[in-house]
Amino acid sequence: SLRKRYVVREDRISSLPEPLILQILSLLPTKLVIATSVLSKRWRSVWKKVPILRFESKGNIQKFAENVSMSLLSHKSPVLETLHLKVNDRCEDVYIGIWAGIAVTRHVRELELDLGYLCGNPVRFPSCLLCFDTLETLKLKHYILLDIPSMVSLKSLRTLHLHSVVYKDSESVRNLFASCPNLEHLVVHRGFHYNDDGVRFVIESPSLKTLLVSGGETYGKQNGGYVINVPCLQHLTIQMLKGYEYCLIENAPELVDANIINVSHTTNETIMGSLKSAKRLSLDLSPLEIAYPTGLVFYQLVSLEMYTHKVAWWNLLALMLDSSPKLQVLKLIDRSSHQPKLVSDKKDMAPGKWNQPESVPECLLSHLETFVWTRPDWIREEEKEVARYILRNAQQLKKATFIIDPIEPKRLFRLAKRREMLNELPAVIMASKSCNLVVESE
C-alpha cells in the first residue's frame, strides 16, 4: 500500500522533456493550459511556450477580451503555430486588431477568426495581417468584412477558408486571390448578407488544387456569381448554389474528381460542360433543372456516382451513360429513406418511365465492370427497369451489388417487395456470364 501511495504521488509529467510537454499541452483547451501555471514554480511559465492557442468566449465578453489580450501579450513562443479565436458576442473592434497584431509578431502560421454573432456592422479584417509572409492557413468565419483595395502579400498562404464573410466589392475579391500565388486549398461559403449584393466572385489561381464553393438560400436577392479559372485544379465541389446568376468554370483541364450538389438551373447551365476532363463525378442534381450541352462527351470519366432521390433522376442517368464511353464504375445512391425531409422525397414522386438510350452505350458494351446500388426502391417500376437494363447490357460487368436497408418492424409492408426483388434479380438474363450478383444489408 505504501508503494501504491508513492506511485500516485510521483510527478512523472514534470520529468518529461519540455518539447513533449508542450506537445501534450497543445492538445488541450487553452483555458486548461493556462491553469497549469498554478501547479508549481516549475509550471508557472510553461504555458507561455505552447505553440497552439484556442480561445472561445463564454459569458462576460469584456472579461474574455481582456484575458485573451493579456494571454497573448504574455506568450513567449518565438513561433505561434496556431491561433483560433471564436467570439460569440459583440466586442470592441479594437480587440480584433490587437489580437491580429500580436499574432503576426509571433509569426503565426494558422489563424482562425470566427465571429459567431450577427449584430451591428461587420468587423473589418485587419489589413496588417495581410502584409506578413508567414501565414500558411487563414480561416475567416461570419460577419468579417474584407476590404482589400490593392494587392497584399500572402506568398506563404496554402489554405484559405471564407465562411459567410462580407466582401466590400468585386475588386476586393480579385485582389485577395491575386495576392496568394501559392494557394492550394480554398473553401468559399457565401451566406446571406446585405452588404455584398452582385459581387462578381472571380477565382483565378495558377496553383489551386482543391476548391469547395457553396452558398445558402438568397431569398430572392441577386448575389452575382462565380468565374473560376484554375488550370491546376484537381478536386472540385460545388453545392447549394441557389439564387446566384452564374457559375462559369473557364479552365480546369487537370480535374480529377468533382461533386455537384443541388445547384439551380441558372448556375448549372455551363457547369456540366466544364467537367468533361474529370475522371470521377458525383452528381446530386435534378434533371428537370439541369442544362445538358448537346454533344457533350466525358472521355476521361471512369467512375460515376449519382443520387436517385430527385424527380426523373433516371433521365440524367441515361444521358450520362450515353456520354461516358470509358465508364468502369457506376454507383447509385438513394438518400430519401434516410433523409425523409428531402425536397424531392420519393413518397411524393409521381410514377415515371425509364427512357433508355436509343442504342446501348459504349461503356456498357466495353468498360463497365462495377455496379453498386445503395437502397434501391424496388416498389418503383422505373427503378426495376434501370436495374434490368444495366444487367442485361453490361457485357464486361464483374460485380453487381445491391445494398438494402434492414427492414424495421413498422415497415414490414415492404417485406413482400424485398422478397420480390430477391426473386427477380437472379432471374434477369445478364449480358456478362462472369458477373457476381450480390445483395447485402447495410
Side-chain angles (χ1 to χ4, degrees), residues 64-200:
F64 166 80
E66 293 173 357
N67 288 341
V68 171
S69 301
M70 291 300 298
S71 299
L72 290 176
L73 288 171
S74 302
H75 195 255
K76 303 300 181 184
S77 177
V79 175
L80 182 57
E81 294 286 346
T82 301
L83 176 60
H84 289 186
L85 294 165
K86 185 173 183 180
V87 185
N88 297 312
D89 299 286
R90 185 86 197 194
C91 68
E92 296 180 26
D93 294 0
V94 66
Y95 283 113
I96 305 297
I98 291 174
W99 299 335
I102 297 174
V104 296
T105 61
R106 298 287 191 274
H107 307 289
V108 65
R109 293 178 180 173
E110 177 180 332
L111 175 65
E112 178 176 325
L113 178 58
D114 183 354
L115 304 186
Y117 54 83
L118 293 172
C119 60
N121 295 321
V123 176
R124 187 183 301 271
F125 186 72
S127 58
C128 63
L129 193 59
L130 302 177
C131 299
F132 287 80
D133 290 339
T134 61
L135 196 61
E136 298 175 2
T137 299
L138 177 61
K139 299 179 181 181
L140 304 178
K141 300 180 180 181
H142 304 119
Y143 228 53
I144 298 171
L145 174 62
L146 284 179
D147 180 5
I148 309 174
S150 60
M151 287 184 58
V152 291
S153 179
L154 288 170
K155 295 180 181 179
S156 298
L157 197 67
R158 297 291 190 275
T159 300
L160 176 62
H161 290 198
L162 303 171
H163 192 289
S164 298
V165 303
V166 183
Y167 306 94
K168 173 66 165 53
D169 48 31
S170 301
E171 193 65 23
S172 292
V173 175
R174 184 182 292 274
N175 287 333
L176 174 61
F177 295 127
S179 303
C180 309
N182 298 305
L183 189 64
E184 296 182 357
H185 310 288
L186 173 63
V187 174
V188 177
H189 174 81
R190 294 176 70 183
F192 175 64
H193 291 298
Y194 294 98
N195 302 58
D196 59 356
D197 290 7
V199 169
R200 181 178 170 86

Side-chain angles (χ1 to χ4, degrees), residues 37 46 51 165 195 284 349 389:
S37 62
V46 172
V165 303
N195 302 58
D284 187 354
M349 191 186 298
Y389 178 81

Side-chain angles (χ1 to χ4, degrees), residues 308 313 332-333 371-376 383 386-387 401-403:
T308 65
W313 64 267
L332 303 178
I333 302 172
F371 175 42
V372 180
W373 197 334
T374 301
R375 296 185 295 277
E383 297 204 4
V386 170
T401 304
F402 294 83
I403 303 174

Side-chain angles (χ1 to χ4, degrees), residues 368-382:
L368 191 69
E369 297 181 353
T370 303
F371 175 42
V372 180
W373 197 334
T374 301
R375 296 185 295 277
D377 190 346
W378 211 245
I379 295 177
R380 303 188 64 86
E381 187 60 34
E382 66 272 7

Side-chain angles (χ1 to χ4, degrees), residues 123-297:
V123 176
R124 187 183 301 271
F125 186 72
S127 58
C128 63
L129 193 59
L130 302 177
C131 299
F132 287 80
D133 290 339
T134 61
L135 196 61
E136 298 175 2
T137 299
L138 177 61
K139 299 179 181 181
L140 304 178
K141 300 180 180 181
H142 304 119
Y143 228 53
I144 298 171
L145 174 62
L146 284 179
D147 180 5
I148 309 174
S150 60
M151 287 184 58
V152 291
S153 179
L154 288 170
K155 295 180 181 179
S156 298
L157 197 67
R158 297 291 190 275
T159 300
L160 176 62
H161 290 198
L162 303 171
H163 192 289
S164 298
V165 303
V166 183
Y167 306 94
K168 173 66 165 53
D169 48 31
S170 301
E171 193 65 23
S172 292
V173 175
R174 184 182 292 274
N175 287 333
L176 174 61
F177 295 127
S179 303
C180 309
N182 298 305
L183 189 64
E184 296 182 357
H185 310 288
L186 173 63
V187 174
V188 177
H189 174 81
R190 294 176 70 183
F192 175 64
H193 291 298
Y194 294 98
N195 302 58
D196 59 356
D197 290 7
V199 169
R200 181 178 170 86
F201 214 97
V202 179
I203 303 174
E204 293 182 330
S205 175
S207 57
L208 197 65
K209 297 179 180 178
T210 302
L211 173 62
L212 188 156
V213 174
S214 67
E217 296 288 348
T218 57
Y219 303 100
K221 290 163 28 111
Q222 293 297 321
N223 272 357
Y226 295 88
V227 177
I228 300 171
N229 187 341
V230 279
C232 293
L233 189 66
Q234 297 178 7
H235 311 286
L236 171 67
T237 298
I238 298 178
Q239 62 185 16
M240 291 298 295
L241 292 191
K242 302 290 186 178
Y244 293 90
E245 298 175 25
Y246 51 85
C247 183
L248 307 175
I249 306 174
E250 295 183 337
N251 187 18
E254 303 298 324
L255 192 62
V256 175
D257 56 67
N259 302 285
I260 312 299
I261 307 165
N262 288 341
V263 297
S264 63
H265 178 79
T266 55
T267 50
N268 74 32
E269 186 173 356
T270 58
I271 286 178
M272 294 301 293
S274 305
L275 305 176
K276 57 186 178 182
S277 62
K279 295 178 177 61
R280 296 186 294 271
L281 274 182
S282 178
L283 303 177
D284 187 354
L285 297 170
S286 170
L288 303 180
E289 296 184 350
I290 191 171
Y292 198 90
T294 303
L296 175 63
V297 180

